[in-house]
Amino acid sequence: MKFNRIIQGDALAELKKLPASVAQAIIADPPYFNVLENEAWDTQWKTAADYLAWCDEWVAESMRVLRDDGLAFIFGQLGKREHTFLHLMSRLSQQHQFHDLIIWDRAVGYDERRDSFTPQYEMILVLRKSDDVKFNKDAVRIPYDAATIDLYLRDKRYKDKDARRAHLESGKFATNILRVPSLKGISKEKCGHPSQKPLNLIDKLIACSTNAGDLVIDPFLGSGTTAAAAKKLKRKWLGIEKDASYFKIAKRRLSAKAPITKRKSSIP
């Protein structure tokens, strides 16, 4: 099995070709179903039932290729057009073992609603195959600033000052609400995909669930963020992408030999 490569093809078909129990982590950012209404890949299903049935299949194959101690991260969001993810989370959690629900706080909302609060988050459903999973909380600690460390060291309840300082200098443990600003059009990281996730967010998912040398698989690679994060963190990776334009963008991004030509989205 070859690693560190992008397969151009259908996610479900290509996942079926892979051996069982090879991936330490699955990072999946699939179509959300009729959210990006001007993108053909997000509106290809006639009904929500069709979309959910498709998700059943590719998630089952993803769980098959996942190691027994691995984790699968599946992106989605809720809203008037995005409520299908609520049903998807319910049925997937009945078919597979639920591990966690992570909230991605995008830091900035997108103001498209007049009759409800401005949406500012997306969700990441985390599934597992067993109770014994690989998870490293220390890998995603959040640093304290010097002033905060100095303040907390004055707390007289802690007798072992050296141990307390070591803990504080390591940073606080991250919660399952991850605040990472979403990418804007002017971001240097933006590659032309309308739902591209920030590298810093994917870094955290890979860092907490894998070690150097482990394999990360992304069935919907898009512009290549998961592969870029895995490469940076010295993990093996394998990406699948059906769209020819995104496939080319990801290849160029990962080769780092030429500037990326941004693909124009049909989103106004």
Side-chain angles (χ1 to χ4, degrees), residues 82-141:
E82 306 95 322
H83 68 277
T84 303
F85 189 64
L86 187 65
H87 305 293
L88 180 60
M89 287 192 293
S90 175
R91 67 194 281 156
L92 291 181
S93 296
Q94 294 176 63
Q95 296 169 14
H96 309 283
Q97 286 194 46
F98 174 86
H99 181 75
D100 202 352
L101 179 61
I102 298 171
I103 302 300
W104 170 34
D105 180 352
R106 299 161 49 104
V108 178
Y110 43 102
D111 191 12
E112 63 171 20
R113 301 182 195 169
R114 297 179 181 178
D115 58 353
S116 61
F117 293 108
T118 298
Q120 187 175 298
Y121 73 93
E122 294 187 28
M123 309 171 87
I124 308 170
L125 175 66
V126 190
L127 301 175
R128 66 189 185 199
K129 295 176 73 171
S130 72
D131 294 339
D132 185 18
V133 297
K134 181 183 289 186
F135 190 82
N136 183 4
K137 291 181 70 172
D138 287 321
V140 287
R141 284 186 180 238

Side-chain angles (χ1 to χ4, degrees), residues 44-71:
Q44 58 185 292
W45 297 274
K46 291 184 179 180
T47 67
D50 292 337
Y51 172 77
L52 292 171
W54 171 73
C55 287
D56 287 344
E57 291 189 271
W58 74 256
V59 172
E61 285 300 318
S62 294
M63 298 304 287
R64 182 186 64 81
V65 304
L66 187 68
R67 288 172 52 90
D68 288 345
D69 59 348
L71 292 173

Side-chain angles (χ1 to χ4, degrees), residues 159-189:
K159 305 303 180 183
D160 190 338
K161 295 296 182 182
D162 290 336
R164 182 61 174 162
R165 179 182 292 278
H167 172 75
L168 292 171
E169 290 180 347
S170 295
K172 64 180 177 180
F173 289 118
T175 70
N176 58 1
I177 301 178
L178 300 178
R179 187 176 178 84
V180 179
S182 58
L183 300 178
K184 303 305 176 187
I186 59 173
S187 170
K188 292 182 179 179
E189 191 179 321

